[in-house]
Amino acid sequence: MRRTISLLLLLACACGEEGPEAGEELSGGDTTVHDTTRNAFTLAARNLQGERRDAFFVGNALFNRNWVTAPSSTEGLDGLGPTFNAPSCAACHFKDGRGKPPTEQDEKPLSLLFRLSIPGQDANGAPLGDPTYGGQLQPQSILGVPAEGEVALTHTFHEGRYADGTAYTLEVPHYELVDLAFGPAHPELTMSPRVAPVMVGLGLLEAIPDATLEALADPDDRDGDGISGRINHVWDVEHQEVRVGRFGWKANQPSLRQQNAGAFRGDIGITSDLFPEEECTAAQEACRASPSGGAPELDAHKLEQMTFYTRMLAVPARRDVEQPEVLRGRRLFREELECAKCHVPRHETGTVADTPELSKQVIFPYTDLLLHDMGPELADHRPDFEATGSEWRTPPLWGIGLVETVNRHTRFLHDGRARSLEEAILWHGGEAERSRERFRNLSATDRAALLRFLESL
């Protein structure tokens, strides 16, 4: 804990900027690590000790392990596919970081996947997958099984200007299914692109009490501020009940265990006790006839090891929290642009059974984990439980300033269309349109200060 006020903070106060809250630099509370290298997203919670720290590294090995085709002598680690997006978790979440869309000619969308659905819901309120291609397009497959198809990505460009006349350009992505193996998709198909998100701090987000999110929700905008965050109530497969959703781009998963099991089946083609069936439709005969790696392929113990690992990935500490330009950006973020109404800075976790490391932590994730209407330009037109086609969960911002260091790119938003933090702000619409327009009307100096603040997170 800082015991003296630095010269930078004194200078900032002299300029009229409010200083940081005590402990604000410790984004993940006692779990926070101080690392600004390319490994900043890969570290265990700082307060994880002894055998529990050893268990973290067991999960890490599973996260990075390539699954292989069944049958294999590698018992318990076979069963890849039959169709899949990637052979391992780390292939999409490289260094536990953020994926991106293809940016080079002929580059495959390894860490960009596509959800598929048609109008309607299943018995539990989940989207209905395409009758032929299921709920997620699988562009890869094992030997003897046809891959489902690919997506062609093209771009157009939108030109705009700030109030001071400075020009900017936004890259608008367009997606088209091509080389489909089993004929046309459903005529009313909706397709939603999703890049792999950063993995840090997930256990802390899971530890925020439901009551906190319910208190933040304002679905009818009763306070009249134009912000109407909503909880996505989703189906919990393990407990067979409706629960608060908090993971995924549309908050469509209630727990890390279910999020991980869903990713294993959807992304790698690995079954588990939560999702014991391969996602092979009636049209995919070779897929249905392919060998299995077990029933299930990912046993409950390995799923728990993986879930422990994803819970315990540490959040990096903030940098330059007392730097005057950062403090100015902080004030702009919280007060003038009112970004903090959705990107809520501070939370306190509850008491987590058998997980003291995550319990009663003051954290600064900059999210309310709620759904917000982001306007037509970001809409995927694909409902997901109670989320509409234009609603997205507020993504956490902690660690966002280290994405370029870790992953060597600055692609943001759900499909990576924004080529910088600046563009990500300019894409905001719907409930965030007022904040975006205030950003567009800032001076160049203030825009730079806001971005400098975001880079400090």
Side-chain angles (χ1 to χ4, degrees):
M1 185 66 65
R2 191 179 303 106
R3 297 184 183 276
T4 61
I5 302 177
S6 72
L7 177 59
L8 284 175
L9 184 55
L10 286 171
L11 289 171
C13 293
C15 295
E17 303 297 350
E18 180 184 353
E21 179 180 340
E24 191 175 321
E25 73 280 9
L26 301 177
S27 300
D30 293 338
T31 73
T32 307
V33 292
H34 295 268
D35 194 295
T36 58
T37 72
R38 205 175 183 198
N39 293 318
F41 297 157
T42 67
L43 304 176
R46 183 165 49 89
N47 57 353
L48 191 65
Q49 303 295 328
E51 293 182 355
R52 291 171 65 77
R53 197 171 187 86
D54 295 339
F56 172 87
F57 291 105
V58 172
N60 175 65
L62 281 171
F63 189 87
N64 289 286
R65 182 67 180 259
N66 279 346
W67 289 74
V68 298
T69 305
S72 167
S73 59
T74 312
E75 186 177 350
L77 289 169
D78 61 352
L80 174 68
T83 57
F84 59 96
N85 289 84
S88 70
C89 303
C92 293
H93 301 274
F94 182 65
K95 289 188 173 291
D96 299 290
R98 184 180 178 83
K100 68 176 183 66
T103 54
E104 304 293 335
Q105 189 173 4
D106 299 326
E107 181 183 355
K108 299 296 184 182
L110 180 61
S111 56
L112 173 69
L113 60 82
F114 293 85
R115 298 269 193 255
L116 307 176
S117 62
I118 63 174
Q121 296 180 322
D122 70 11
N124 298 317
L128 295 176
D130 181 85
T132 302
Y133 296 97
Q136 184 171 314
L137 187 73
Q138 306 287 358
Q140 299 193 62
S141 61
I142 64 174
L143 185 66
V145 176
E148 294 180 342
E150 296 188 358
V151 176
L153 173 61
T154 57
H155 298 95
T156 55
F157 296 91
H158 171 76
E159 307 290 337
R161 289 187 180 275
Y162 289 104
D164 63 9
T166 303
Y168 61 82
T169 303
L170 300 180
E171 186 178 81
V172 185
H174 305 279
Y175 308 100
E176 180 185 6
L177 291 172
V178 297
D179 299 330
L180 292 175
F182 307 103
H186 191 278
E188 295 183 85
L189 178 77
T190 54
M191 179 169 60
S192 181
R194 314 280 178 87
V195 295
V198 173
M199 301 290 293
V200 300
L202 297 180
L204 293 168
L205 297 179
E206 189 172 42
I208 298 173
D210 287 356
T212 298
L213 307 187
E214 289 161 357
L216 288 170
D218 184 18
D220 301 316
D221 191 20
R222 291 187 177 181
D223 60 8
D225 65 354
I227 307 297
S228 53
R230 300 196 309 121
I231 288 173
N232 195 3
H233 296 94
V234 304
W235 185 248
D236 186 310
V237 175
E238 182 175 11
H239 297 98
Q240 293 290 291
E241 64 182 13
V242 174
R243 290 183 57 196
V244 171
R246 63 181 70 207
F247 297 111
W249 285 104
K250 288 191 178 249
N252 67 340
Q253 295 289 4
S255 67
L256 272 176
R257 189 171 191 270
Q258 184 165 313
Q259 169 72 23
N260 292 337
F264 263 105
R265 184 178 69 165
D267 301 349
I268 310 177
I270 298 296
T271 60
S272 65
D273 58 347
L274 292 188
F275 300 106
E277 302 293 331
E278 302 281 7
E279 197 172 11
C280 301
T281 68
Q284 299 179 25
E285 295 181 5
C287 179
R288 290 187 287 113
S290 63
S292 169
E297 292 161 330
L298 177 71
D299 64 47
H301 181 59
K302 286 188 176 68
L303 178 56
E304 183 54 40
Q305 290 173 319
M306 177 69 73
T307 301
F308 183 78
Y309 171 73
T310 57
R311 280 198 180 107
M312 292 301 174
L313 278 164
V315 184
R318 282 188 57 198
R319 287 81 53 210
D320 303 322
V321 293
E322 297 173 348
Q323 203 268 350
E325 188 181 29
V326 170
L327 289 172
R328 182 167 183 80
R330 177 185 185 274
R331 180 180 60 79
L332 290 165
F333 181 92
R334 293 184 177 221
E335 299 175 16
E336 295 194 24
L337 273 63
E338 297 184 327
C339 305
K341 287 193 171 183
C342 299
H343 291 283
V344 175
R346 183 186 188 277
H347 290 280
E348 184 173 341
T349 64
T351 299
V352 186
D354 301 321
T355 315
E357 298 90 352
L358 305 179
S359 298
K360 297 299 181 182
Q361 296 297 315
V362 175
I363 61 175
F364 295 86
Y366 288 84
T367 178
D368 58 7
L369 297 177
L370 300 178
L371 298 171
H372 294 276
D373 188 330
M374 295 299 292
E377 291 183 327
L378 288 181
D380 65 355
H381 310 292
R382 180 182 179 273
D384 200 336
F385 289 98
E386 295 178 2
T388 70
S390 60
E391 286 183 317
W392 299 95
R393 185 203 68 164
T394 307
L397 298 182
W398 50 15
I400 202 167
L402 291 171
V403 168
E404 184 173 12
T405 297
V406 173
N407 295 121
R408 301 292 195 259
H409 71 80
T410 55
R411 306 295 296 221
F412 299 104
L413 298 180
H414 66 278
D415 58 359
R417 68 177 64 193
R419 295 168 294 182
S420 64
L421 289 171
E422 179 180 3
E423 287 189 14
I425 297 169
L426 292 168
W427 272 110
H428 280 53
E431 295 175 41
E433 182 176 356
R434 181 171 59 184
S435 294
R436 179 197 69 199
E437 289 305 294
R438 289 177 178 176
F439 178 70
R440 286 183 63 251
N441 283 282
L442 291 177
S443 67
T445 300
D446 280 350
R447 294 198 303 270
L450 180 69
L451 295 172
R452 184 72 185 83
F453 164 72
L454 293 175
E455 290 165 357
S456 79
L457 296 180

mmCIF file of all heavy atoms in Angstrom, residues 6-26:
data_model
loop_
_atom_site.group_PDB
_atom_site.id
_atom_site.type_symbol
_atom_site.label_atom_id
_atom_site.label_comp_id
_atom_site.label_asym_id
_atom_site.label_seq_id
_atom_site.Cartn_x
_atom_site.Cartn_y
_atom_site.Cartn_z
ATOM 1 N N SER A 6 3.133 10.832 -4.106
ATOM 2 C CA SER A 6 4.264 11.108 -4.981
ATOM 3 C C SER A 6 4.201 12.529 -5.524
ATOM 4 O O SER A 6 3.174 13.190 -5.484
ATOM 5 C CB SER A 6 4.289 10.113 -6.145
ATOM 6 O OG SER A 6 3.238 10.410 -7.025
ATOM 7 N N LEU A 7 5.336 12.946 -6.080
ATOM 8 C CA LEU A 7 5.395 14.265 -6.704
ATOM 9 C C LEU A 7 4.410 14.376 -7.848
ATOM 10 O O LEU A 7 3.763 15.409 -8.027
ATOM 11 C CB LEU A 7 6.826 14.525 -7.206
ATOM 12 C CG LEU A 7 7.053 15.852 -7.961
ATOM 13 C CD1 LEU A 7 6.699 17.034 -7.061
ATOM 14 C CD2 LEU A 7 8.485 15.947 -8.452
ATOM 15 N N LEU A 8 4.254 13.271 -8.616
ATOM 16 C CA LEU A 8 3.287 13.300 -9.719
ATOM 17 C C LEU A 8 1.882 13.542 -9.217
ATOM 18 O O LEU A 8 1.100 14.281 -9.821
ATOM 19 C CB LEU A 8 3.346 11.979 -10.490
ATOM 20 C CG LEU A 8 4.538 11.786 -11.434
ATOM 21 C CD1 LEU A 8 4.519 10.386 -12.013
ATOM 22 C CD2 LEU A 8 4.517 12.828 -12.544
ATOM 23 N N LEU A 9 1.516 12.903 -8.099
ATOM 24 C CA LEU A 9 0.182 13.097 -7.562
ATOM 25 C C LEU A 9 -0.006 14.526 -7.075
ATOM 26 O O LEU A 9 -1.066 15.125 -7.253
ATOM 27 C CB LEU A 9 -0.066 12.100 -6.423
ATOM 28 C CG LEU A 9 -1.466 12.111 -5.802
ATOM 29 C CD1 LEU A 9 -2.527 11.915 -6.880
ATOM 30 C CD2 LEU A 9 -1.596 11.042 -4.737
ATOM 31 N N LEU A 10 1.040 15.096 -6.474
ATOM 32 C CA LEU A 10 0.955 16.489 -6.043
ATOM 33 C C LEU A 10 0.755 17.416 -7.237
ATOM 34 O O LEU A 10 -0.056 18.343 -7.199
ATOM 35 C CB LEU A 10 2.223 16.873 -5.283
ATOM 36 C CG LEU A 10 2.369 16.302 -3.857
ATOM 37 C CD1 LEU A 10 3.767 16.591 -3.330
ATOM 38 C CD2 LEU A 10 1.309 16.892 -2.941
ATOM 39 N N LEU A 11 1.460 17.134 -8.322
ATOM 40 C CA LEU A 11 1.287 17.931 -9.523
ATOM 41 C C LEU A 11 -0.123 17.785 -10.075
ATOM 42 O O LEU A 11 -0.751 18.747 -10.517
ATOM 43 C CB LEU A 11 2.318 17.517 -10.572
ATOM 44 C CG LEU A 11 3.765 17.901 -10.292
ATOM 45 C CD1 LEU A 11 4.686 17.230 -11.314
ATOM 46 C CD2 LEU A 11 3.937 19.417 -10.323
ATOM 47 N N ALA A 12 -0.643 16.548 -10.050
ATOM 48 C CA ALA A 12 -1.992 16.326 -10.549
ATOM 49 C C ALA A 12 -3.012 17.076 -9.697
ATOM 50 O O ALA A 12 -3.943 17.699 -10.220
ATOM 51 C CB ALA A 12 -2.312 14.828 -10.546
ATOM 52 N N CYS A 13 -2.843 17.040 -8.397
ATOM 53 C CA CYS A 13 -3.776 17.750 -7.516
ATOM 54 C C CYS A 13 -3.717 19.249 -7.770
ATOM 55 O O CYS A 13 -4.732 19.946 -7.731
ATOM 56 C CB CYS A 13 -3.458 17.429 -6.058
ATOM 57 S SG CYS A 13 -3.780 15.710 -5.606
ATOM 58 N N ALA A 14 -2.494 19.729 -8.031
ATOM 59 C CA ALA A 14 -2.352 21.153 -8.308
ATOM 60 C C ALA A 14 -3.082 21.558 -9.575
ATOM 61 O O ALA A 14 -3.512 22.699 -9.735
ATOM 62 C CB ALA A 14 -0.869 21.497 -8.421
ATOM 63 N N CYS A 15 -3.234 20.598 -10.498
ATOM 64 C CA CYS A 15 -3.952 20.871 -11.747
ATOM 65 C C CYS A 15 -5.444 20.614 -11.610
ATOM 66 O O CYS A 15 -6.190 20.694 -12.585
ATOM 67 C CB CYS A 15 -3.397 19.984 -12.865
ATOM 68 S SG CYS A 15 -1.683 20.364 -13.282
ATOM 69 N N GLY A 16 -5.895 20.265 -10.425
ATOM 70 C CA GLY A 16 -7.327 20.090 -10.193
ATOM 71 C C GLY A 16 -7.855 18.693 -10.459
ATOM 72 O O GLY A 16 -9.058 18.480 -10.453
ATOM 73 N N GLU A 17 -6.978 17.697 -10.686
ATOM 74 C CA GLU A 17 -7.423 16.341 -10.949
ATOM 75 C C GLU A 17 -7.450 15.538 -9.655
ATOM 76 O O GLU A 17 -6.525 15.588 -8.856
ATOM 77 C CB GLU A 17 -6.501 15.656 -11.958
ATOM 78 C CG GLU A 17 -6.358 16.383 -13.282
ATOM 79 C CD GLU A 17 -7.648 16.493 -14.071
ATOM 80 O OE1 GLU A 17 -8.634 15.838 -13.694
ATOM 81 O OE2 GLU A 17 -7.678 17.249 -15.053
ATOM 82 N N GLU A 18 -8.523 14.794 -9.454
ATOM 83 C CA GLU A 18 -8.670 13.962 -8.268
ATOM 84 C C GLU A 18 -7.707 12.790 -8.336
ATOM 85 O O GLU A 18 -7.515 12.177 -9.386
ATOM 86 C CB GLU A 18 -10.104 13.443 -8.185
ATOM 87 C CG GLU A 18 -10.375 12.554 -6.980
ATOM 88 C CD GLU A 18 -11.782 11.990 -6.994
ATOM 89 O OE1 GLU A 18 -12.573 12.399 -7.872
ATOM 90 O OE2 GLU A 18 -12.077 11.143 -6.136
ATOM 91 N N GLY A 19 -7.073 12.455 -7.219
ATOM 92 C CA GLY A 19 -6.139 11.348 -7.176
ATOM 93 C C GLY A 19 -6.848 10.009 -7.195
ATOM 94 O O GLY A 19 -8.068 9.927 -7.039
ATOM 95 N N PRO A 20 -6.095 8.919 -7.381
ATOM 96 C CA PRO A 20 -6.702 7.589 -7.420
ATOM 97 C C PRO A 20 -7.182 7.154 -6.043
ATOM 98 O O PRO A 20 -6.684 7.611 -5.017
ATOM 99 C CB PRO A 20 -5.559 6.698 -7.907
ATOM 100 C CG PRO A 20 -4.321 7.407 -7.456
ATOM 101 C CD PRO A 20 -4.643 8.877 -7.566
ATOM 102 N N GLU A 21 -8.149 6.266 -6.045
ATOM 103 C CA GLU A 21 -8.617 5.652 -4.809
ATOM 104 C C GLU A 21 -7.510 4.784 -4.234
ATOM 105 O O GLU A 21 -6.710 4.198 -4.971
ATOM 106 C CB GLU A 21 -9.855 4.803 -5.119
ATOM 107 C CG GLU A 21 -10.440 4.073 -3.934
ATOM 108 C CD GLU A 21 -11.669 3.260 -4.309
ATOM 109 O OE1 GLU A 21 -12.283 3.552 -5.356
ATOM 110 O OE2 GLU A 21 -11.996 2.339 -3.549
ATOM 111 N N ALA A 22 -7.418 4.688 -2.924
ATOM 112 C CA ALA A 22 -6.414 3.838 -2.288
ATOM 113 C C ALA A 22 -6.559 2.406 -2.790
ATOM 114 O O ALA A 22 -7.645 1.832 -2.762
ATOM 115 C CB ALA A 22 -6.573 3.890 -0.769
ATOM 116 N N GLY A 23 -5.469 1.840 -3.267
ATOM 117 C CA GLY A 23 -5.480 0.472 -3.760
ATOM 118 C C GLY A 23 -5.990 0.312 -5.173
ATOM 119 O O GLY A 23 -6.089 -0.819 -5.671
ATOM 120 N N GLU A 24 -6.281 1.414 -5.847
ATOM 121 C CA GLU A 24 -6.864 1.327 -7.190
ATOM 122 C C GLU A 24 -5.917 0.671 -8.191
ATOM 123 O O GLU A 24 -6.359 0.103 -9.190
ATOM 124 C CB GLU A 24 -7.245 2.729 -7.666
ATOM 125 C CG GLU A 24 -8.083 2.776 -8.917
ATOM 126 C CD GLU A 24 -8.514 4.183 -9.269
ATOM 127 O OE1 GLU A 24 -8.852 4.961 -8.338
ATOM 128 O OE2 GLU A 24 -8.514 4.520 -10.461
ATOM 129 N N GLU A 25 -4.627 0.752 -7.928
ATOM 130 C CA GLU A 25 -3.680 0.133 -8.853
ATOM 131 C C GLU A 25 -3.707 -1.388 -8.771
ATOM 132 O O GLU A 25 -3.256 -2.089 -9.681
ATOM 133 C CB GLU A 25 -2.260 0.647 -8.586
ATOM 134 C CG GLU A 25 -1.602 0.132 -7.327
ATOM 135 C CD GLU A 25 -2.048 0.858 -6.044
ATOM 136 O OE1 GLU A 25 -3.000 1.659 -6.105
ATOM 137 O OE2 GLU A 25 -1.420 0.614 -5.000
ATOM 138 N N LEU A 26 -4.258 -1.934 -7.673
ATOM 139 C CA LEU A 26 -4.336 -3.392 -7.491
ATOM 140 C C LEU A 26 -5.660 -3.878 -8.082
ATOM 141 O O LEU A 26 -6.620 -4.155 -7.366
ATOM 142 C CB LEU A 26 -4.219 -3.750 -6.012
ATOM 143 C CG LEU A 26 -2.920 -3.294 -5.327
ATOM 144 C CD1 LEU A 26 -2.945 -3.643 -3.847
ATOM 145 C CD2 LEU A 26 -1.704 -3.909 -6.012
#
